[in-house]
Amino acid sequence: MSQTHELIIVGGGPAGLTAGIYACRARMDVLLIEKGLVGGQIVNAVLVENYPGFPEGISGMDLGTAMRDQAEKLGLEVVDAEIVGIENSKFHNIVRTSDGTSYQAKAVIISGGSEHRKLGVSGEWEFLGKGVSYCATCDGAFFSDQKVAVIGGGDAAITEALFLTQLASRVTIVHRRDELRGSKILQEMAFSNPKIDFAWNSVVEGIAGDTVVRELKLKDVKSGGESNLEVDGVFIYVGLRPNTDYLKGLVPLDDMGHIICNELMEIEVPGLFAAGDIRRNSARQAIAAAGDGATAAISARKYLRGA
Ligand code: NAP
């Protein structure tokens, strides 16, 4: 089966939904394809305090849902499917999904975002859902009055550690350096929170347990010393990896797998555009992704209409 549209948007996070809003308002024939929850990674954020217009902050779920509602109210059609390949020719692009469906479009905006990077240590996969999690909002409640660790030192690790202090009895941030990467305001909140302690200069070498997680095997990267940290849960926030595996050979990617595009979100392949976390040099913020989505939709409209 093959459907034809003017524009296909790959991914339904802030970038893709904003592109959809702009495309619908420009009366373009547009389809958005998303394999997961429409709203993107932001729906996992407990509280978003840096998206303009919400002085008290807004939950990521509410923000993502509002973006989806706005796009659908304008007529955006959303299909739930996983994209496995895009083929580009002079005349059109063919977007293929894992269920065997193909869609044709003259222009495609690739805004498929990123996924949580894995630690790649023993026990990480085995204990997934049995103490290992990548989403404190989703799984934090299972660890009421228990001991948890958060791995990473960026904004995501600190934000989610702060959230977990409302549930867990102790939250240990395990970071591979002696200085956090996350923003200063979040650092101040973490340092002053009595429920948070830190394992500095420490990397996780393994996650161990029986039917559920019981401890982390840590290594001090400076001294080489090894230790065990007793925990009931471990939340892994060691950054994001762009969802571009299926694009290798089609579009230019940097060393980290981000799509290389210009400031108009144009990829060097005619008719293809990128937006959001998936592109090189993205600020990796929801507001920046939304801005990219608007730019990409305007560029796609000009491409399609020849002006
Ligand atoms: P990030 O900023 O890339 O931070 C990843 C953290 O994980 C870093 O501290 C890094 O250590 C550590 N790390 C990476 N690989 C590791 C490994 N193999 N083992 C142990 N530690 C490892 O990623 P993020 O925190 O997910 O944030 C992603 C983007 O979203 C950022 O731009 C961030 O600003 C944004 N974000 C913003 C907010 C907010 O504004 N409230 C909330 C969440 C995310 P090093 O520091 O040593 O590199």
Side-chain angles (χ1 to χ4, degrees):
M1 194 181 102
S2 180
Q3 284 184 25
T4 302
H5 297 271
E6 273 187 299
L7 171 67
I8 287 178
I9 299 170
V10 179
L17 288 171
T18 305
I21 288 168
Y22 275 70
C24 286
R25 286 173 57 87
R27 302 286 186 247
M28 293 160 74
D29 167 20
V30 54
L31 174 74
L32 186 148
I33 304 176
E34 164 62 57
K35 71 172 175 184
L37 196 57
V38 176
Q41 294 277 356
I42 196 74
V43 301
N44 295 324
V46 181
L47 188 64
V48 180
E49 293 185 297
N50 53 9
Y51 200 96
F54 302 96
E56 306 306 320
I58 179 169
S59 83
M61 182 59 82
D62 286 350
L63 184 59
T65 304
M67 288 182 191
R68 178 186 182 141
D69 290 350
Q70 187 175 352
E72 289 192 331
K73 191 177 161 196
L74 286 161
L76 182 65
E77 187 187 345
V78 178
V79 162
D80 176 5
E82 181 177 6
I83 290 167
V84 291
I86 299 177
E87 289 160 35
N88 174 266
S89 78
K90 194 175 170 192
F91 305 104
H92 59 240
N93 300 283
I94 299 176
V95 177
R96 297 191 192 283
T97 59
S98 58
D99 62 6
T101 309
S102 60
Y103 301 86
Q104 283 189 29
K106 198 144 187 255
V108 178
I109 295 175
I110 304 168
S111 49
S114 46
E115 62 177 24
H116 290 293
R117 198 181 288 149
K118 310 290 183 291
L119 277 176
V121 298
S122 63
E124 183 175 15
W125 174 247
E126 182 189 346
F127 291 108
L128 183 63
K130 298 170 192 160
V132 172
S133 171
Y134 302 88
C135 178
T137 318
C138 323
D139 300 327
F142 296 122
F143 300 94
S144 195
D145 290 324
Q146 296 188 331
K147 298 185 287 285
V148 299
V150 173
I151 319 302
D155 282 331
I158 308 173
T159 305
E160 304 309 314
L162 287 164
F163 167 68
L164 286 164
T165 60
Q166 297 168 29
L167 304 157
S169 59
R170 189 198 73 202
V171 179
T172 303
I173 294 181
V174 178
H175 185 37
R176 63 184 179 182
R177 294 186 291 131
D178 59 3
E179 192 184 355
L180 296 173
R181 175 181 292 278
S183 59
K184 291 291 177 210
I185 188 168
L186 290 173
Q187 291 193 29
E188 286 163 16
M189 288 161 77
F191 291 141
S192 64
N193 190 308
K195 274 196 178 176
I196 295 182
D197 57 20
F198 295 86
W200 297 111
N201 300 311
S202 298
V203 291
V204 178
E205 296 231 293
I207 301 169
D210 36 50
T211 54
V212 292
V213 167
R214 298 289 178 202
E215 63 181 20
L216 298 183
K217 300 193 176 305
L218 301 184
K219 182 174 176 183
D220 186 310
V221 292
K222 288 210 162 151
S223 69
E226 295 179 354
S227 62
N228 294 336
L229 179 69
E230 265 185 44
V231 289
D232 303 292
V234 51
F235 291 85
I236 299 168
Y237 284 104
V238 292
L240 302 169
R241 180 179 172 276
N243 289 318
T244 52
D245 286 351
Y246 70 94
L247 296 170
K248 283 178 188 147
L250 173 71
V251 300
L253 303 174
D254 69 9
D255 293 346
M256 301 291 286
H258 296 99
I259 298 172
I260 298 171
C261 64
N262 66 16
E263 72 274 16
L264 297 176
M265 305 301 131
E266 295 164 332
I267 303 173
E268 66 179 28
V269 183
L272 296 185
F273 304 84
D277 287 14
I278 203 161
R279 75 169 175 93
R280 184 175 65 168
N281 293 336
S282 159
R284 291 189 286 171
Q285 304 290 311
I287 186 65
D292 280 4
T295 304
I298 291 167
S299 294
R301 180 178 56 77
K302 287 181 180 165
Y303 173 78
L304 289 166
R305 308 273 150 94

